[in-house]
Amino acid sequence: MIDMMQVARREIKMGFRNPWAYSFLILFCTFSLSLLIINSQNIVEGYSGITGSMLSLILYLLPLMTLFLGSFSLTSEKEEGSWQLLSTYPMGTMSFIVGKYVGLSIVLLTIVAFGYGLMGFLSGFLGTSFDSTTYFLFLVFSCGLVMLFLTVALFIGSLSKNRWQALTISVSIWFFAIIGWPTILISVLGLLPYLWIKPLLVALTFINPAELVRLFVVIKLGGGSILGPEYFQWVEWIQKPSGSLLFAAVCLFWIVGSIIIVYWIWERGRSRG
């Protein structure tokens, strides 16, 4: 536990000294102010064309930001020789991985919180406040993307040998998970028998964290009717009182499972020297 906290503290210090973090902070604040301008021109409440567009913009920015910062953090340990030094100390690999995840989460969530806090402060000051439920769901959407995609970033960093390789893999995964996902989904499901579509759709949704969080927030905003009959059961269980707790349990399972895989990769590399 002490080792994990030391790694997390070190990661927080390095994260807030990283110029990439401040570049993304400025970008996210600019983006948040853009959402504020949209809100000043239209009433943003529930699911509509405006909130759908805002969710899409967040979906483009946050996963890419998380993949870059998370994967670069691990590959820098390899390139600079820090991991080779740390591995000589009696520190467990799990403490190292979890410490990295906790430290990076704090850095990234601070960026998100600052952006939304600035947007909330200015909107209140200008008298154009967001609907509280919509504002909270947007915050949940952003934090969920960060927490889930950070595990993907650690997986990329554990497989990559340098930053350029991590950059290439991160952009590829971001493209397929965010930009190309609807096209890939339609092309794959169109080749299958009808009875296979629904089970495979559920499985693919759990594989893609962006789609998983997006569906939850869209349904909570009241836009479940636009998803189609294949997602009828999703709408049912998410709208139940226990739906939020079940979604949180699925996300926790996703995070823990991913960290275990990253641990196995790093432990295997450590045992081989």
Side-chain angles (χ1 to χ4, degrees), residues 6-255:
Q6 290 290 343
V7 173
R9 190 178 297 112
R10 172 175 172 267
E11 193 61 36
I12 293 170
K13 290 180 180 178
M14 293 176 62
F16 285 117
R17 293 173 183 171
N18 188 348
W20 279 79
Y22 290 100
S23 299
F24 281 122
L25 175 62
I26 294 172
L27 182 61
F28 190 72
C29 288
T30 304
F31 169 77
S32 299
L33 294 177
S34 300
L35 297 184
L36 179 61
I37 293 173
I38 295 175
N39 180 60
S40 65
Q41 298 172 347
N42 303 275
I43 299 176
V44 179
E45 182 178 0
Y47 187 82
S48 62
I50 297 173
T51 51
S53 299
M54 293 166 70
L55 288 175
S56 297
L57 291 174
I58 296 173
L59 198 60
Y60 293 148
L61 175 61
L62 283 182
L64 187 62
M65 176 180 76
T66 304
L67 290 174
F68 281 171
L69 292 179
S71 61
F72 286 2
S73 176
L74 282 185
T75 51
S76 64
E77 298 282 358
K78 300 177 184 179
E79 289 184 314
E80 297 169 2
S82 301
W83 170 242
Q84 284 77 5
L85 176 62
L86 290 173
S87 61
T88 62
Y89 292 93
M91 179 180 65
T93 305
M94 183 59 78
S95 297
F96 174 75
I97 297 298
V98 175
K100 278 279 186 181
Y101 181 82
V102 172
L104 285 167
S105 296
I106 292 174
V107 173
L108 289 164
L109 292 178
T110 300
I111 293 174
V112 171
F114 187 87
Y116 277 100
L118 179 62
M119 179 173 62
F121 173 77
L122 291 178
S123 64
F125 180 76
L126 297 174
T128 57
S129 300
F130 273 82
D131 172 67
S132 58
T133 302
T134 304
Y135 184 85
F136 176 73
L137 286 173
F138 269 81
L139 182 61
V140 169
F141 179 65
S142 301
C143 293
L145 288 176
V146 166
M147 300 294 287
L148 293 180
F149 269 94
L150 184 54
T151 61
V152 180
L154 295 181
F155 178 74
I156 295 171
S158 64
L159 295 178
S160 304
K161 296 180 180 179
N162 51 59
R163 290 183 179 91
W164 283 110
Q165 191 174 8
L167 175 65
T168 303
I169 298 175
S170 296
V171 172
S172 300
I173 290 179
W174 173 81
F175 179 82
F176 284 109
I178 307 299
I179 305 296
W181 184 255
T183 304
I184 295 171
L185 203 63
I186 293 172
S187 60
V188 171
L189 296 180
L191 299 174
L192 299 175
Y194 180 76
L195 294 178
W196 292 13
I197 291 178
K198 193 171 182 179
L200 186 59
L201 187 63
V202 173
L204 291 175
T205 301
F206 279 111
I207 290 174
N208 187 348
E211 189 69 6
L212 181 64
V213 180
R214 186 186 72 86
L215 285 178
F216 174 78
V217 173
V218 167
I219 292 171
K220 282 294 186 180
L221 285 171
S225 59
I226 70 167
L227 299 175
E230 291 81 6
Y231 290 99
F232 178 73
Q233 290 184 340
W234 286 79
V235 176
E236 278 192 327
W237 71 261
I238 289 177
Q239 287 181 341
K240 290 180 179 178
S242 60
S244 298
L245 292 177
L246 184 57
F247 172 75
V250 170
C251 291
L252 181 62
F253 178 79
W254 217 101
I255 292 170

